Amino acid sequence: MTLPLFFAGEREITEKYSNKEVIISFNKFFIPEKKALYNFILKSVSFSEDSNDIYQNTALRAFKYFRKFDTSKRFKPWVFSIALNEIRKYFKNKIQSSDIHSIENSYEQIPDTQNRELAEAVYSAAYSLKNTEREIFFLFYDSGFNISEISEITGKTQGNIKVILSNARKRVKSFLGSKK
Amino acid sequence: MNKKIKDEDIKVILNSMDFDIPSEIDAKVNEMIYSENLPAGFFKKLLRTSNPFIKWVPAFASILLLITLGLIQLNRNAPERKPLSEIKIEYELKDKNIKIIWVKKENFLLRRLKK
């Protein structure tokens, strides 16, 4: 009979989960989500090259705290909440170092398709939003999370998220309208 | 540009831009996870903090001990009071050098009868 992790002492945890087992288990959860995670980070930081560092930090941080992850919960919102913290940290550092303008308008990575012009307009609209609005905008429209999952990721109430999302939607639509 | 852009259109536009993780970044992350290229004492630190219950054990134990001692103290039987067995009244007439002692006992009659 195994004890629930909550009551397990240090020795029991060490014996139950070896490093190899943790890695295998982590990869089982992480691999299906990593592309979506990378895309969320990339788009959230305006296709900046720093997205690679943020992704790397997120993956390592997720791995580091994976032992604390409650496997009865969904992994995707959990790992996205880590990514969100890393993105916030990135913007904070950029603001502190007055380097915020260097991350704007890096659309070179957007493929040259029929929708390119429209896509650029949507991304421009998204980057005109406030940080919180932009986070929720990308989580909802790009990563496909629902309101309750976004609430789990951001730590905000569902009502608050609905209001922020509605404001963001209005701003984006009015931005796109003004670009006509 | 279409002014009346719908929610679904935004989703489609955003999702149409789907990027693969650069292979060197993916490889680097895997390498860091698989190798021991992690900060020293990485798992030790995690294990120490992995069970939040453990750090509260001393506090819980001391509170439990205090409660137990308090309950024991409260439940301890107070020494039983013995019922009054006698009433003793003394009168002293000093001028006649007389002292009267009146003792009332519950079993007074019984004892007298026995005598």
Side-chain angles (χ1 to χ4, degrees):
Chain A
M1 187 186 155
T2 53
L3 280 168
L5 202 58
F6 182 73
F7 292 108
E10 290 186 13
R11 183 187 282 177
E12 282 156 323
I13 295 170
T14 321
E15 283 170 359
K16 258 171 73 180
Y17 308 105
S18 68
N19 288 3
K20 200 177 172 185
E21 281 174 320
V22 172
I23 291 168
I24 292 168
S25 181
F26 175 75
N27 278 337
K28 204 174 102 184
F29 283 97
F30 184 71
I31 288 170
E33 312 298 348
K34 66 180 183 180
K35 195 176 174 187
L37 185 72
Y38 177 74
N39 273 278
F40 169 67
I41 293 168
L42 184 71
K43 292 168 187 177
S44 296
V45 296
S46 319
F47 303 95
S48 160
E49 282 185 0
D50 294 327
S51 58
N52 291 341
D53 291 336
I54 300 171
Y55 170 75
Q56 196 176 302
N57 288 344
T58 303
L60 286 177
R61 192 161 279 274
F63 176 63
K64 185 176 175 183
Y65 292 104
F66 182 64
R67 285 173 189 239
K68 286 183 175 180
F69 170 64
D70 179 0
T71 48
S72 66
K73 291 184 178 172
R74 286 191 59 204
F75 180 77
K76 196 176 177 184
W78 181 76
V79 80
F80 269 69
S81 67
I82 295 172
L84 197 61
N85 281 335
E86 290 296 319
I87 292 165
R88 284 174 183 169
K89 235 188 272 178
Y90 165 77
F91 279 114
K92 199 177 168 187
N93 290 340
K94 283 281 176 190
I95 289 167
Q96 277 173 357
S97 61
S98 310
D99 197 19
I100 194 76
H101 298 293
S102 69
I103 57 166
E104 287 177 358
N105 303 322
S106 311
Y107 302 127
E108 295 83 20
Q109 291 195 54
I110 296 178
D112 197 8
T113 59
Q114 288 179 332
N115 281 339
R116 187 185 167 114
E117 196 190 338
L118 187 59
E120 275 193 26
V122 171
Y123 282 112
S124 300
Y127 301 136
S128 72
L129 298 173
K130 291 174 191 167
N131 283 356
T132 319
E133 287 176 339
R134 191 178 55 247
E135 286 165 5
I136 292 169
F137 179 83
F138 277 119
L139 285 170
F140 185 78
Y141 285 108
D142 184 56
S143 306
F145 286 108
N146 60 33
I147 302 289
S148 109
E149 286 168 332
I150 296 172
S151 162
E152 201 181 316
I153 294 166
T154 57
K156 294 188 187 302
T157 62
Q158 292 191 24
N160 201 354
I161 285 162
K162 281 177 191 168
V163 172
I164 294 169
L165 192 60
S166 163
N167 288 341
R169 192 182 288 129
K170 277 180 202 163
R171 276 163 172 262
V172 168
K173 286 184 179 175
S174 94
F175 186 93
L176 293 175
S178 69
K179 284 261 174 179
K180 191 180 176 184
Chain B
M1 194 162 302
N2 186 9
K3 193 176 180 180
K4 287 185 180 177
I5 189 163
K6 291 174 188 171
D7 274 13
E8 278 307 310
D9 297 334
I10 298 175
K11 278 187 184 178
V12 169
I13 290 163
L14 290 176
N15 284 316
S16 66
M17 308 293 156
D18 195 24
F19 302 94
D20 287 325
I21 304 165
S23 52
E24 68 273 13
I25 299 299
D26 206 20
K28 199 175 170 187
V29 168
N30 280 338
E31 192 191 333
M32 286 185 84
I33 289 172
Y34 277 98
S35 71
E36 293 300 317
N37 197 9
L38 294 164
F42 182 80
F43 283 117
K44 252 187 181 175
K45 194 181 171 191
L46 270 181
L47 286 173
R48 267 205 298 278
T49 54
S50 61
N51 197 335
F53 183 71
I54 288 170
K55 67 177 176 185
W56 292 104
V57 166
F60 278 132
S62 48
I63 289 168
L64 202 67
L65 188 69
L66 282 173
I67 291 170
T68 314
L69 287 174
L71 285 174
I72 289 170
Q73 197 63 31
L74 283 174
N75 287 338
R76 186 178 281 173
N77 289 336
E80 275 185 31
R81 276 191 180 180
K82 288 180 181 175
L84 287 175
S85 59
E86 64 178 38
I87 299 168
K88 194 174 177 181
I89 301 165
E90 289 185 14
Y91 299 98
E92 194 171 359
L93 306 170
K94 279 188 179 175
D95 52 335
K96 291 176 182 174
N97 201 20
I98 293 172
K99 193 174 184 179
I100 301 163
I101 300 172
W102 182 69
V103 179
K104 187 186 174 185
K105 289 194 175 185
E106 275 188 8
N107 55 355
F108 177 72
L109 275 176
L110 195 65
R111 288 206 294 180
R112 276 193 69 180
L113 281 173
K114 273 186 183 174
K115 281 178 183 175

